Amino acid sequence: MFDENRLRVFAAIAREGSVTAAATALHYAQPSVSHHLARLEAEAGVPLVQRAGRGIRLTEAGRLLADRAEEILGRIDSARTELAAHAGLGAGRVRLAAFPSALATLVPTVSAAFGVRHPDIELALTEAEPPEALAALRRGEVDVAFTFHHGDGPPGGRPGHTATSILHEPVYVVSRDGTSWPGPRADLGTYRGQRWIAGCERCRTHLLSACEKRGFTPAIGFETDDYVAAQALVAAGLGVTTLPGLALRAHRHPGVRIDRLPDEHRFVDAVVYGAPPVPAPVEAFLKVLGETVVQPVEWP
């Protein structure tokens, strides 16, 4: 069995990139960190690091163990917090990670309702896009992650996670107000010859797929995941874009026109780690969430 303290030392080495930096971060003596690393390699039975200049590089086995160590340590820390709350040592907490448009729309309403219902439970909020939120969930750094997926993508989460549907939101094509177009505004094919404003390579997958279904590849002129900036670029006549309802509810530029795409939706989920039952504070939060966010929602 792996020693918890050695796992913490190894996780720090993986994060910091050297034994010296890990020792500084942990406030340990460097020989102590080296000793823990040597003992952990002996327990693992394979080399975990290799020298790389003044630092180190994780071996393939080391990368695998580093990922698992973060997850294991996060679960241990969460268990301690939950047991403390169960024993009456604290009222518990819920740590929520949410993507920007949810953080600007859903989260304030749900958080306020949760605070009224459970004033003794601490609620901590952090902004994170779905991949980062799920990684933090797996490491035990958050308890609930708000994620999204489109109709042609997988539901939020991954094996080992439990996703609860919150809502589905419409998707709109956003164009400059007052501009005339040769075809129906609610048809992506109308804009095939235009420059597009799209998210990062990871985030534009659905746009590319939707345009491909209509027989063209969008010419992407600007890249931003900021829905405020995207609308400002559209209003300036620099291109067109698509945005989901939550983004337009959070911010609507007066110089743009929006037209709902009838066959396009984005699905929002609340994801927790592992199978039910979840810790009592998290269960309480999900209950309030389900009572607060009720479909249908007026858009945008």
Side-chain angles (χ1 to χ4, degrees):
M1 295 179 65
F2 292 124
D3 178 83
E4 177 189 341
N5 196 40
R6 289 176 197 142
L7 285 178
R8 291 191 183 278
V9 168
F10 183 64
I13 292 172
R15 285 194 305 269
E16 303 296 334
S18 74
V19 170
T20 302
T24 300
L26 295 170
H27 305 290
Y28 280 14
Q30 183 173 332
S32 178
V33 172
S34 297
H35 173 74
H36 281 301
L37 175 58
R39 291 292 302 274
L40 185 62
E41 285 190 313
E43 291 174 348
V46 292
L48 300 175
V49 301
Q50 53 187 198
R51 296 293 175 184
R54 295 184 178 181
I56 60 168
R57 181 184 299 115
L58 298 182
T59 64
E60 184 176 349
R63 287 192 296 272
L64 174 62
L65 183 58
D67 289 342
R68 293 303 185 192
E70 293 282 8
E71 179 181 346
I72 292 166
L73 294 170
R75 295 298 103 201
I76 290 173
D77 292 340
S78 294
R80 284 177 175 148
T81 299
E82 294 159 14
L83 287 173
H86 182 74
L89 301 177
R93 65 175 178 177
V94 177
R95 299 162 298 171
L96 171 67
F99 53 94
S101 58
L103 199 59
T105 53
L106 300 177
V107 172
T109 301
V110 175
S111 299
F114 184 70
V116 170
R117 189 85 61 85
H118 302 281
D120 294 330
I121 299 179
E122 175 189 356
L123 180 61
L125 308 175
T126 186
E127 179 182 312
E129 293 289 353
E132 290 74 28
L134 290 173
L137 188 68
R138 191 170 178 227
R139 294 193 300 266
E141 296 172 357
V142 299
D143 304 300
V144 183
F146 282 3
T147 67
F148 61 80
H149 68 282
H150 292 275
D152 56 356
R158 61 179 70 177
H161 297 70
T162 301
T164 301
S165 177
I166 302 176
L167 55 81
H168 60 272
E169 51 180 330
V171 176
Y172 299 81
V173 62
V174 184
S175 59
R176 188 180 188 184
D177 194 27
T179 303
S180 60
W181 299 96
R185 287 180 178 266
D187 181 356
L188 288 179
T190 297
Y191 310 91
R192 68 176 61 238
Q194 301 301 311
R195 281 194 303 178
W196 284 80
I197 299 147
C200 66
E201 291 188 11
R202 183 183 67 198
C203 301
R204 70 180 63 159
T205 305
H206 179 68
L207 172 64
L208 295 176
S209 173
C211 291
E212 182 181 353
K213 291 176 183 176
R214 291 159 179 84
F216 74 101
T217 299
I220 297 173
F222 297 92
E223 177 182 303
T224 178
D225 290 325
D226 186 328
Y227 51 82
V228 177
Q231 291 181 65
L233 291 168
V234 171
L238 298 175
V240 296
T241 192
T242 58
L243 288 174
L246 287 179
L248 291 163
R249 173 181 286 189
H251 172 79
R252 175 79 177 274
H253 194 291
V256 304
R257 167 172 169 159
I258 63 172
D259 292 276
R260 185 168 180 168
L261 297 171
D263 299 325
E264 304 294 334
H265 293 86
R266 190 172 78 164
F267 300 86
V268 181
D269 301 314
V271 185
V272 297
Y273 187 86
V278 297
V282 175
E283 183 178 13
F285 176 81
L286 294 176
K287 186 173 188 296
V288 172
L289 173 64
E291 294 171 351
T292 305
V293 182
V294 180
Q295 293 270 54
V297 179
E298 184 178 348
W299 301 105

